[in-house]
Amino acid sequence: MKAFIRAIEYHLPETVLSNAQLSAEFPGWSVEKIEEKTGISERRISAPGEFASDLGVSAVRRLFESGVCQPSEIDFILYCTQSPDYYLPTTACLLQERLSIPTTAGALDFNLGCSGYIYGLGLAKGLVETGQARNLLLVTAETYSKFIYPEDRSVRTLFGDGAAATLIQAAHSPVDCLGPFVYGTDGRGAGNLIVPSGGLRHPLRNRASDIIEDENGNRRTPDSLYMNGAEIFSFSLQAVPDVVHQALERASCSINEVDLFVFHQANHYMLEHLRRKLKIPPEKFVFALDKVGNTVSSTIPIALKQVQADQRLRKGQKVLLVGFGVGYSWGAAFIRWEV
Amino acid sequence: MNITEFCALLAKVVNEEPVAISPDTTLSSLPGWDSVGVVMWIVEVDEIFGVTLQAKQIAGCKTARDLAVLLGDRILA
């Protein structure tokens, strides 16, 4: 049996944060400058009281409503988030109950950011191809906006909230539809994209006196998201070309033999540079962050869904997915699109 | 690339006239040398010289000349 992606759906919260709103809040940052540097015109922000699991539930319901499968058929839930509802229990257990998935299903959370979709597909392949699951839900959901200090434009301009649900099924196929996979990890970069407080090591402080202002005028507290953009760029410019070449070598194929490249949608400026560096033709390279921003682990499935809708993604195509970011953690996976 | 061309490249990245930057220009005096400017510089250098600078290397630079020193003999005095 081979695991393959049967369907993808995604859900975004209603509230829109536009560049015009950001420009009004941060004088000196024009609408045009924000769009030029990020490739993002708007992003969605979850409401107070609306959490990543709520977005995930909506994405999965959309999948069920499309008719590809019923809740009763799901036998495994993989939930990727860095915005869990609780320290415990596992959010995937809450999803099982809310979505009326059978109690015979397995369910687990895993904590990864921008590389999460690649790891999720790798786990799904293992579970499905060893016969442990036949209809697996991979749910990616994130609400970074809840970690972001309102006066930190460095991250407010980039990140958007959202969730995606991917149905992975078993099929009789002579060829692999998921893989090969390549992974990478370098914990030395942990401090460059981090929410310093709020875990057990440094409990949430909630002190206004903790507000710090960096050399660029961005303000934040240790309870909020910190990103060293320059270090993240340096990491990405090195890690992504390396992992792409490793994946191509593992699959014994060249860039010319790949139909589509879907990278984690970090920002347009970085992606365009990576595209040129790797000599990937523009028509094979996907940008899908204009209206959603960087939705962390959901950028790749959202991009896949968008290119499927645009009919750029078609049955039989070979696609290379690349995720990279917080951790540092990265990974690449080939998929063969089968629907 | 010579140092004059190098300064013109930096000027392009930070939205200044090519003649506005000399090797002794202090980076902190350039309005465009903010977090976005630093990121754009990393990308530009990666693209033109094939060298991926680390943010902490750049953080130690005070002048345009200091940036050139990071690229060694790729920049001719």
Side-chain angles (χ1 to χ4, degrees), chain A residues 8-89:
Chain A
I8 298 171
E9 294 288 347
Y10 65 89
H11 177 79
L12 304 171
E14 272 184 29
T15 304
V16 173
L17 176 62
S18 69
N19 289 351
Q21 289 166 276
L22 286 170
S23 179
E25 284 187 46
F26 301 110
W29 266 52
S30 68
V31 172
E32 293 76 19
K33 182 173 177 180
I34 298 171
E35 183 142 9
E36 182 197 341
K37 301 304 176 199
T38 63
I40 300 164
S41 61
E42 59 186 48
R43 62 293 286 149
R44 300 296 186 91
I45 305 298
S46 54
E50 182 181 39
F51 299 98
S53 58
D54 301 319
L55 305 180
V57 163
S58 297
V60 176
R61 287 203 173 121
R62 200 161 282 178
L63 205 56
F64 291 149
E65 284 161 12
S66 75
V68 291
C69 74
Q70 300 299 315
S72 60
E73 295 172 291
I74 299 297
D75 54 13
F76 217 104
I77 306 166
L78 292 175
Y79 182 60
C80 176
T81 195
Q82 300 189 308
S83 314
D85 283 21
Y86 305 102
Y87 279 127
L88 59 113

Side-chain angles (χ1 to χ4, degrees), chain A residues 140-156:
Chain A
T140 52
E142 212 57 81
T143 53
Y144 267 27
S145 71
K146 297 190 192 299
F147 296 132
I148 291 175
Y149 196 76
E151 295 171 56
D152 189 351
R153 71 177 183 190
S154 69
V155 283
R156 250 188 110 196

Side-chain angles (χ1 to χ4, degrees), chain A residues 292-310:
Chain A
V292 291
N294 178 343
T295 53
V296 194
S297 51
S298 294
T299 66
I300 293 173
I302 289 174
L304 285 171
K305 181 68 183 175
Q306 290 187 1
V307 287
Q308 184 189 23
D310 295 344

Side-chain angles (χ1 to χ4, degrees), chain A residues 29 33 37 216 229-231 233-234 237-238 269 273 276-277, chain B residues 34-36 38-40 42-43 46-47 52-56:
Chain A
W29 266 52
K33 182 173 177 180
K37 301 304 176 199
N216 298 300
E231 289 290 6
F233 254 76
S234 294
L237 296 185
Q238 288 175 318
Y269 188 72
H273 175 67
R276 288 201 304 266
K277 189 172 180 174
Chain B
D34 56 8
S35 58
V36 177
V38 171
V39 163
M40 290 174 66
I42 290 170
V43 171
D46 189 72
E47 188 149 323
T52 308
L53 296 171
Q54 302 298 310
K56 58 176 79 74

